Amino acid sequence: MFEQMKEIIRNYVQVADEDIHEDSRFVEDLGFNSYEFMCLVGEVEDVFDIEVDEREAAKIKTVQEALHYIATLTEE
């Protein structure tokens, strides 16, 4: 799942694969703005066939938090 997430991240920001870590913060470390992040959320919904609650998405700050949230939705 982490590799899929890295691929999605690279669709929105110019960042080297080796610079994406599970503890990377979307805004501070990877350079996302709010629009790019919401576009990423939409792609995550499509790729993982889930529906992300916008209020929950706003709480996600790191790649690890995103992966954990996706995992909880895909287990249901």
Side-chain angles (χ1 to χ4, degrees), residues 17-28:
D17 196 49
E18 61 270 9
D19 293 333
I20 303 171
H21 308 282
E22 290 191 5
D23 62 347
S24 296
R25 298 169 296 177
F26 285 102
V27 175
E28 295 88 345

Side-chain angles (χ1 to χ4, degrees), residues 57-72:
K59 296 176 188 176
I60 295 171
K61 304 298 181 205
T62 68
V63 174
Q64 179 59 43
E65 290 172 1
L67 293 171
H68 181 266
Y69 183 69
I70 292 166
T72 62

Side-chain angles (χ1 to χ4, degrees), residues 24-45:
S24 296
R25 298 169 296 177
F26 285 102
V27 175
E28 295 88 345
D29 300 326
L30 301 176
F32 275 82
N33 63 37
S34 57
Y35 175 75
E36 291 164 334
F37 183 74
M38 291 314 292
C39 290
L40 172 130
V41 169
E43 187 168 343
V44 164
E45 288 179 320

